[in-house]
Amino acid sequence: MNSTNRGRQTKDGIRIYDPSDSAGMMAAGALASQILDAMPEHVFPGQSTASIDKVILDMVDAAGAKSATIGYKGYQHASCISVNHVVCHGIPGDKTLKDGDILNIDVTVIVDGWFGDTSRMYVAGKLSRKAERLIQVTHDSLLRGIEAVKPGNTFGDIGHAIQSFVESHRMSVVRDFCGHGLGRVFHAPPNVVHYGRPGTGAVLEPGMFFTIEPMVNLGRPETKTLADDWTAVTRDKSLSAQFEHSIGVTEDGFEIFTLSAADKFHPTYQP
């Protein structure tokens, strides 16, 4: 794409960033990923999610960055921590983890005005076989979705890659929440849904930045939001898992801004 087309918006309201903007996204993504790389030693039975959140906030402050979630629509924590049947937006608190709990930790940081957004799964203690299978399918579904990212493909291609893989393993994709555009803003068009039909939706173009973050349930896909207006849980109380990367579309494919430098994105490296 000619550079004069950068910095514009598509007819769907999706911003097209300049190639030089990838450096800012890489820096923000690297910090978010570095924070999550440090979390395994803080996830164990008896630990509170509030204590984990405090560690995250201290790391953000030490890096001279800002937490994107503190103050966002009234939210007051540096992370969302979603345990077991919590699908997303779990609020850190005093409740402690039990042996076998699985949890998603979601962190978004702001570095020099750029937003780095990523999440991954962790295990407190011994991982059950069904939770292990859920985590593996969710992780692999994200990779299937990322592999569909290239110019000329559509967002429907991404959603279909995720949905078809998840449902082939007799699990379900959450419909109520989705990925999103980002860059110098936290949330922007497009909505990146994790289900769909090939060839539908906006066409991918170089310079698009967005998250892919499938939420996968062992049971049915329906969710409900609790009275705190944040915490979303599975209606059937089945386990849920999520992985998230921030992605940029390149001239010939994609780049991942939130790769784990320590290769710790998947939780099986934990003891």
Side-chain angles (χ1 to χ4, degrees):
M1 178 181 292
N2 189 298
S3 61
T4 58
N5 289 325
R6 304 289 188 169
R8 66 178 176 86
Q9 285 191 349
T10 71
K11 62 182 177 60
D12 301 290
I14 304 169
R15 179 166 179 178
I16 305 297
Y17 284 91
D18 190 85
S20 62
D21 293 333
S22 290
M25 291 298 291
M26 283 291 188
L31 176 59
S33 185
Q34 177 187 342
I35 289 169
L36 292 189
D37 282 349
M39 289 303 104
E41 66 184 86
H42 302 285
V43 176
F44 51 83
Q47 173 73 304
S48 71
T49 53
S51 296
I52 297 171
D53 186 70
K54 177 64 165 59
V55 172
I56 291 168
L57 178 58
D58 288 347
M59 292 186 70
V60 173
D61 289 344
K66 294 182 179 179
S67 167
T69 52
I70 294 177
Y72 179 76
K73 295 184 177 180
Y75 196 79
Q76 294 300 318
H77 303 275
S79 64
C80 294
I81 303 180
S82 303
V83 182
N84 292 335
H85 72 292
V86 178
V87 175
C88 59
H89 304 158
I91 301 174
D94 294 333
K95 188 174 180 179
T96 57
L97 299 172
K98 303 187 298 297
D99 185 50
D101 280 349
I102 63 171
L103 54 152
N104 175 273
I105 303 179
D106 190 340
V107 170
T108 307
V109 298
I110 309 171
V111 177
D112 296 328
W114 295 99
F115 286 70
D117 188 0
T118 185
S119 80
R120 61 182 86 155
M121 295 301 295
Y122 298 85
V123 182
K126 184 175 175 57
L127 182 63
S128 72
R129 180 66 188 95
K130 67 177 182 178
E132 180 180 23
R133 183 168 165 265
L134 171 65
I135 287 170
Q136 187 68 53
V137 168
T138 308
H139 172 272
D140 292 351
S141 76
L142 171 61
L143 300 188
R144 296 293 181 101
I146 293 172
E147 287 169 2
V149 175
K150 63 179 180 180
N153 274 7
T154 68
F155 284 97
D157 294 327
I158 297 172
H160 176 74
I162 292 169
Q163 179 185 10
S164 59
F165 179 78
V166 168
E167 292 180 353
S168 75
H169 290 274
R170 305 178 74 83
M171 299 179 193
S172 63
V173 175
V174 170
R175 268 86 164 157
D176 298 334
F177 301 95
C178 61
H180 52 89
L182 80 169
R184 286 195 172 276
V185 293
F186 194 174
H187 294 98
N191 287 335
V192 184
V193 298
H194 306 113
Y195 59 94
R197 292 183 292 111
T200 62
V203 175
L204 300 173
E205 297 183 36
M208 289 180 174
F209 297 163
F210 51 85
T211 69
I212 305 177
E213 46 184 298
M215 288 145 272
V216 176
N217 298 345
L218 267 180
R220 292 186 55 80
E222 293 84 7
T223 71
K224 65 178 179 179
T225 300
L226 302 185
D228 59 29
D229 290 331
W230 285 104
T231 308
V233 300
T234 55
R235 281 193 173 272
D236 61 7
K237 295 186 169 51
S238 63
L239 288 177
S240 187
Q242 179 186 21
F243 284 88
E244 175 184 15
H245 270 316
S246 294
I247 308 292
V249 184
T250 64
E251 296 291 340
D252 57 1
F254 61 85
E255 56 187 339
I256 301 174
F257 300 128
T258 46
L259 285 174
S260 168
D263 196 26
K264 291 183 176 182
F265 190 68
H266 193 285
T268 56
Y269 62 86
Q270 295 189 32

